[in-house]
Amino acid sequence: INQNGGLNSREIELVVEDTEASPDTGVQRARSLIQQENVDIIHGVVSSAVAKAVGEFTSQQQVPFIGTATQTPDLNKEQCSRYTFRTTTNLIHQQRATAKMVADNIAGDGESVDVHGVNPDYVYGQQSWDVFRNVYPELNSAANITGSEFPAFLKGDYNQEIQAILDENPDIVHSSLYSGDMISFIQQAQQFDFFEQIDAFLAGVVPAEINIALGPEGTPDNLWSVVSTYIRWPEGNERLQTFNEEYRSRNDMPSEGEPTSFSYENAKAMRATQKAVEEAGSTNPEDIIDAMEGLRLDNAPAPPATIREGDHQAIADQLLTGPHGPISDYEYYGYEELQPVSGDFIADDVECSL
């Protein structure tokens, strides 16, 4: 953006802080950005708890905040605010897409199937399981939801949960473990021949970083997941191709290197900001907000989306699902088949009064 003249002839300056996954630290960093750095807008945050704390503070300060990775629906529902936006999915979208993926590909309506879960014992894991266990039986009346294990965040040793799941003898296992936790669980489960004893492992959101860490020998052949951005989708998208090339160049990556999932999500927020500021002709917070409401986000390296006026939640035209397997020209597994789920299906209700 800066190379092309900036925003309304002003260059964007990035001021980066680390929340350290702590709500208190997140608020301290946001206070510094607003009161000392005089930023016009804040992007970011992964942790749901941190995002809720930062969103509450930025609303009090009347500074726009765009959540780029956080997944709790609370941010745009019970805690919705005129100053809070989200350009990524929320976990309702992810889990509705997961349920549709299972019903369309693994066990459809009327097919008897037992499903057990292993989800982290914090907001993201609890809410993810609650959505899935309620939505999937609506699509398959013969589904039997047997329950879920809830290991502590960053527990590390999952032998107890693995054995408890195998004791239930499920056909499908649902999980929203993330990042290092997911990698550890899969590696430990393989020692029990876990994946040979189930039909499908629903791994929630699996960014490329997990596939790379596991390698082709360590990635289960019956792993399915959901993703909102992907290196190969939308096909033929020049913005995506340009972003991938630029990212690789700046980070000294090989030609087959894959940008992180967070890089795509932050690019979406930056492009939304660009479009809103250009339409508003101003960096005044109220003008940015007016332009952001209902904004069509079609200038990012990702499937197009619309930011709803009613709650400031982005609804993507499509969310991607599919099984993992070998993909050409890459040394790790990825989505061997992309199966888009429509935005109309994944969209949650507006439960907000701005």
Side-chain angles (χ1 to χ4, degrees):
I1 296 172
N2 283 344
Q3 288 175 356
N4 288 281
L7 293 180
N8 298 339
S9 300
R10 292 177 58 187
E11 284 201 351
I12 299 171
E13 179 185 356
L14 297 179
V15 184
V16 182
E17 294 282 4
D18 183 0
T19 69
E20 300 175 4
S22 162
D24 289 342
T25 301
V27 171
Q28 293 173 8
R29 301 292 192 265
R31 179 179 290 110
S32 173
L33 290 173
I34 293 170
Q35 297 179 357
Q36 298 179 28
E37 301 291 345
N38 297 313
V39 300
D40 298 297
I41 189 168
I42 291 179
H43 294 179
V45 185
V46 176
S47 161
S48 293
V50 175
K52 291 173 69 173
V54 169
E56 181 178 11
F57 176 75
T58 53
S59 293
Q60 293 169 353
Q61 299 294 306
Q62 298 185 339
V63 171
F65 165 57
I66 299 180
T68 60
T70 181
Q71 290 294 310
T72 177
D74 299 349
L75 195 67
N76 298 87
K77 292 188 182 296
E78 64 184 43
Q79 196 180 303
C80 67
S81 162
R82 173 169 168 77
Y83 296 91
T84 301
F85 292 81
R86 176 163 27 203
T87 48
T88 188
T89 56
N90 68 45
L91 63 84
I92 295 176
H93 305 169
Q94 293 179 357
Q95 296 305 323
R96 287 187 62 82
T98 299
K100 186 76 163 58
M101 174 182 70
V102 177
D104 287 349
N105 298 279
I106 303 171
D109 194 21
E111 295 185 56
S112 178
V113 62
D114 292 338
V115 184
H116 202 80
V118 54
N119 295 279
D121 194 14
Y122 63 101
V123 173
Y124 175 64
Q126 295 160 355
Q127 292 183 336
S128 293
W129 174 244
D130 281 345
V131 174
F132 177 82
R133 70 182 180 89
N134 285 298
V135 173
Y136 179 52
E138 295 176 359
L139 304 177
N140 180 5
S141 57
N144 177 32
I145 308 297
T146 60
S148 178
E149 309 306 311
F150 287 101
F153 180 51
L154 298 178
K155 182 181 181 184
D157 182 349
Y158 297 100
N159 287 350
Q160 179 180 348
E161 286 77 16
I162 292 166
Q163 189 59 61
I165 295 169
L166 292 177
D167 288 345
E168 292 289 340
N169 194 30
D171 303 297
I172 297 172
V173 175
H174 169 282
S175 183
S176 57
L177 292 171
Y178 196 73
S179 191
D181 285 346
M182 178 62 77
I183 293 169
S184 295
F185 179 88
I186 290 175
Q187 291 174 333
Q188 292 169 33
Q190 287 171 331
Q191 300 172 21
F192 290 75
D193 293 328
F194 180 90
F195 300 101
E196 288 75 20
Q197 300 179 60
I198 63 175
D199 294 332
F201 183 64
L202 313 179
V205 178
V206 176
E209 298 92 311
I210 291 179
N211 286 128
I212 293 170
L214 290 171
E217 298 299 323
T219 304
D221 291 328
N222 53 355
L223 186 151
W224 295 70
S225 72
V226 175
V227 70
S228 58
T229 59
Y230 187 55
I231 191 171
R232 298 181 174 215
W233 187 270
E235 295 177 345
N237 184 307
E238 290 186 10
R239 293 182 301 276
L240 178 63
Q241 295 172 1
T242 300
F243 180 86
N244 291 338
E245 292 169 1
E246 184 72 14
Y247 187 94
R248 291 165 181 151
S249 174
R250 292 189 180 210
N251 291 279
D252 296 322
M253 296 175 69
S255 59
E256 71 275 10
E258 185 163 344
T260 68
S261 56
F262 293 128
S263 67
Y264 289 122
E265 294 295 352
N266 281 287
K268 286 160 62 176
M270 187 60 73
R271 290 300 186 184
T273 299
Q274 175 191 19
K275 199 166 186 180
V277 170
E278 288 176 347
E279 289 185 9
S282 165
T283 56
N284 178 278
E286 302 302 325
D287 294 337
I288 292 176
I289 290 169
D290 289 341
M292 195 86 74
E293 291 183 331
L295 184 140
R296 181 65 175 162
L297 181 52
D298 54 7
N299 59 339
T306 299
I307 299 177
R308 292 193 299 206
E309 185 174 356
D311 61 359
H312 298 173
Q313 169 67 57
I315 304 297
D317 289 4
Q318 296 176 322
L319 203 56
L320 309 178
T321 69
H324 287 240
I327 51 177
S328 60
D329 303 325
Y330 286 79
E331 297 180 355
Y332 54 88
Y333 276 17
Y335 285 88
E336 60 180 351
E337 181 182 352
L338 285 171
Q339 302 172 354
V341 177
S342 74
D344 289 339
F345 181 85
I346 65 171
D348 53 327
D349 295 333
V350 174
E351 301 172 18
C352 171
S353 179
L354 294 175

